[in-house]
Amino acid sequence: MKILIVGSGGREYSIGLALHKEEKIKKLYFAPGNGATDNLGENVAIKDFEELATFAKTQEIDLTIVGPEVPLVDGIVDVFKKHGLTIFGPSKAAARLEGSKIFMKNFLARHGIPTAKYIQTKNLEEANTFIDSLSLPIVVKADGLCAGKGVIIAKTYEEAKSAAQEMLSGESFGDAGTSIVVEEFLDGYELSVFAICDGKDYKVLPAAQDHKRLLDNDEGPNTGGMGAYAPTPLIDEELYNKVAQRVVKPTLAGMEAEGNPFEGVLFIGLMIVKGEPIVLEYNVRFGDPECEILMPLIESSVSDLFYKAATKDLSNLDIKIKDKFAVGIVMASENYPYSNSKPSEILISEALEDEIKEHTHISFAGVSKEEEKLFATGGRVLLCIGVGDSIKQARDRAYKRCGDVHFAGKKFRSDIAYQALK
Ligand code: AMP
Ligand code: GLY
């Protein structure tokens, strides 16, 4: 089997790493990939969807897997399907679950799926009237994709109104913000649930918890995620059942009924309020770094999972999840998340005990390769992942691996998984 993976981050590397271990995978391609993915396969520098589809046809690629949201929202799946290619991911219309907060909120309302009380508007006066009707804090969201920055949690009415004004005028997020959602604040704990979907059927992966803030104790600015672990003890059988009945099933049925069956990864961001799951957001792809810790927990074939999802055949698949825990620690570059950092060489001594080597690995993200040397090129550089029989064991192993990785300016949180270990 030949597989093409679209994207260049740790998420795509980790999918590649899982596939690379399978005997039936003959060749992997990454578009565009990073400095480390070419150890797993071949990097392809094609951006245009039509050209990439032509490449996939010429190379007789059996399956394409799309990592990031931007190509999905821009319609890569529609282009590949038009060419008769097999691709895992949602269509452009289905990707609106992530691409438009207004589409998402209205979809939830149409199908009676629990979510925070809200209005959508393009009008400042309407926004302000609704803001005045809510209690503090108040959440103001830009409609479109803002690379995770389009959500303001305002502590005062003035702050909420000026956030709305700056978004609506285009000042904050350009066109992505000229429609907004204003909603009530939900007080609870957050949980991410990932369902692999084929339009009708789905398989749920272990629930994960991300760490969005840059610094220990959840302080500092928001990032793409500084570490994650799974499965989390924050969910039990009863809550899984509620999520399935009240969220996953009505979402798939609703998308199908509206003519946009959802295929791909449905990543549901939930707030659990008094034991009840309430949808904060959907993403239409794997989380990053969540993907990196979920891949090593899948016992059965990852290529079967994606291929059967892409060919509407999930009902015929049993997936096996390991009875283990995984913890991933992001190592980021010096100036992350503010600005780029100077490239610096990554040195990995491999001077670890065999036990650590066996139960840990690295997933590479912001790296380039020059003359067989790896360089950190900024942003989130790599993730050290530990697997173990407990969260603590997995975490301790992951941190030992971090101690073996060196590059100038490296930084990482020292408290990943703390909520599970309290
Ligand atoms: P979103 O992109 O909509 O998930 O929002 C980003 C983050 O903002 C979420 O992960 C939550 O931490 C927070 N958030 C969004 N909406 C709400 C809400 N209604 N109440 C509380 N926190 C929220
Ligand atoms: N780690 C959160 C995300 O990928 O959106």
Side-chain angles (χ1 to χ4, degrees):
M1 202 178 192
K2 290 182 178 178
I3 297 187
L4 166 65
I5 299 171
V6 178
S8 63
R11 170 178 47 206
E12 292 74 27
Y13 182 94
S14 72
I15 294 172
L17 192 65
L19 294 171
H20 190 69
K21 296 190 175 123
E22 292 187 22
E23 222 165 86
K24 63 172 167 290
I25 305 301
K26 295 284 171 272
K27 175 115 198 205
L28 289 174
Y29 297 89
F30 296 84
N34 63 42
T37 53
D38 70 358
N39 293 336
L40 303 173
E42 183 179 327
N43 288 349
V44 183
I46 303 175
K47 284 201 181 111
D48 180 79
F49 299 161
E50 288 284 346
E51 270 180 54
L52 197 56
T54 305
F55 173 84
K57 263 188 174 165
T58 320
Q59 300 301 322
E60 298 178 332
I61 283 168
D62 301 286
L63 172 67
T64 298
I65 299 167
V66 188
E69 64 275 21
V70 172
L72 293 167
V73 169
D74 289 345
I76 189 170
V77 168
D78 307 66
V79 172
F80 271 57
K81 285 196 172 167
K82 185 184 75 189
H83 286 278
L85 291 159
T86 303
I87 182 164
F88 175 69
S91 65
K92 183 172 184 163
R96 286 178 298 166
L97 281 182
E98 175 165 0
S100 165
K101 296 251 189 263
I102 292 178
F103 174 82
M104 182 264 295
K105 292 292 289 190
N106 291 345
F107 173 83
L108 292 169
R110 281 198 293 282
H111 297 282
I113 301 167
T115 189
K117 195 170 79 179
Y118 74 104
I119 58 158
Q120 58 156 96
T121 184
K122 285 175 174 294
N123 177 291
L124 184 59
E125 247 171 74
E126 205 179 357
N128 286 345
T129 308
F130 189 68
I131 286 170
D132 284 325
S133 77
L134 294 173
S135 45
L136 292 169
I138 292 164
V139 186
V140 183
K141 301 183 176 185
D143 177 46
L145 288 183
C146 302
K149 299 188 183 70
V151 176
I152 304 290
I153 304 199
K155 293 198 180 67
T156 65
Y157 290 98
E158 293 68 42
E159 197 189 335
K161 287 176 187 175
S162 59
Q165 192 271 328
E166 282 164 21
M167 283 184 196
L168 289 170
S169 68
E171 220 174 288
S172 307
F173 303 111
D175 286 346
T178 54
S179 288
I180 59 169
V181 167
V182 179
E183 69 182 28
E184 65 173 336
F185 179 81
L186 299 170
D187 195 7
Y189 64 89
E190 283 186 61
L191 197 67
S192 303
V193 171
F194 295 87
I196 308 295
C197 307
D198 73 358
K200 242 186 199 352
D201 291 300
Y202 66 91
K203 304 283 171 192
V204 173
L205 299 180
Q209 201 182 28
D210 187 13
H211 298 63
K212 283 258 171 18
R213 302 295 198 98
L214 181 69
L215 305 173
D216 283 6
N217 301 315
D218 293 322
E219 286 171 8
N222 261 326
T223 69
M226 293 300 291
Y229 69 93
T232 160
L234 299 173
I235 187 163
D236 57 14
E237 208 51 41
E238 189 189 347
L239 189 52
Y240 266 121
N241 282 335
K242 280 186 190 168
V243 173
Q245 296 306 328
R246 296 188 198 162
V247 183
V248 184
K249 286 182 182 171
T251 300
L252 290 185
M255 290 301 281
E256 194 182 16
E258 293 185 9
N260 304 312
F262 189 89
E263 296 170 21
V265 182
L266 186 65
F267 163 177
I268 307 164
L270 296 164
M271 187 71 87
I272 310 301
V273 183
K274 298 192 179 97
E276 299 301 314
I278 302 184
V279 176
L280 283 178
E281 65 165 349
Y282 292 110
N283 292 302
V284 299
R285 36 90 194 165
F286 271 117
D288 188 349
E290 292 93 325
C291 184
E292 288 93 313
I293 50 147
L294 291 173
M295 287 300 123
L297 291 175
I298 301 176
E299 170 104 56
S300 40
S301 155
V302 168
S303 65
D304 276 359
L305 177 62
F306 293 143
Y307 189 78
K308 289 202 179 268
T311 52
K312 302 188 186 3
D313 198 19
L314 273 186
S315 63
N316 288 317
L317 182 76
D318 253 345
I319 62 163
K320 279 207 185 66
I321 303 294
K322 291 180 194 162
D323 190 15
K324 299 270 179 203
F325 295 85
V327 176
I329 320 288
V330 170
M331 299 183 85
S333 54
E334 191 169 13
N335 301 329
Y336 181 72
Y338 305 104
S339 59
N340 293 336
S341 310
K342 264 209 325 257
S344 56
E345 190 180 345
I346 302 172
L347 297 169
I348 301 171
S349 61
E350 293 287 352
L352 291 168
E353 306 138 58
D354 287 345
E355 194 243 12
I356 301 298
K357 278 190 192 161
E358 192 185 329
H359 298 289
T360 64
H361 64 276
I362 298 176
S363 187
F364 293 95
V367 299
S368 67
K369 191 153 91 174
E370 273 167 56
E371 293 170 0
E372 296 309 305
K373 288 181 181 163
L374 269 189
F375 286 81
T377 50
R380 293 183 289 173
V381 174
L382 55 85
L383 236 95
C384 292
I385 295 131
V387 175
D389 293 325
S390 66
I391 294 177
K392 185 173 180 313
Q393 188 182 47
R395 183 204 57 177
D396 291 348
R397 286 173 171 168
Y399 275 114
K400 282 208 175 136
R401 180 59 88 152
C402 285
D404 191 44
V405 177
H406 308 278
F407 56 92
K410 72 171 178 184
K411 62 182 181 197
F412 54 96
R413 277 180 62 159
S414 69
D415 66 345
I416 298 304
Y418 78 95
Q419 282 170 308
L421 296 168
K422 269 197 275 215

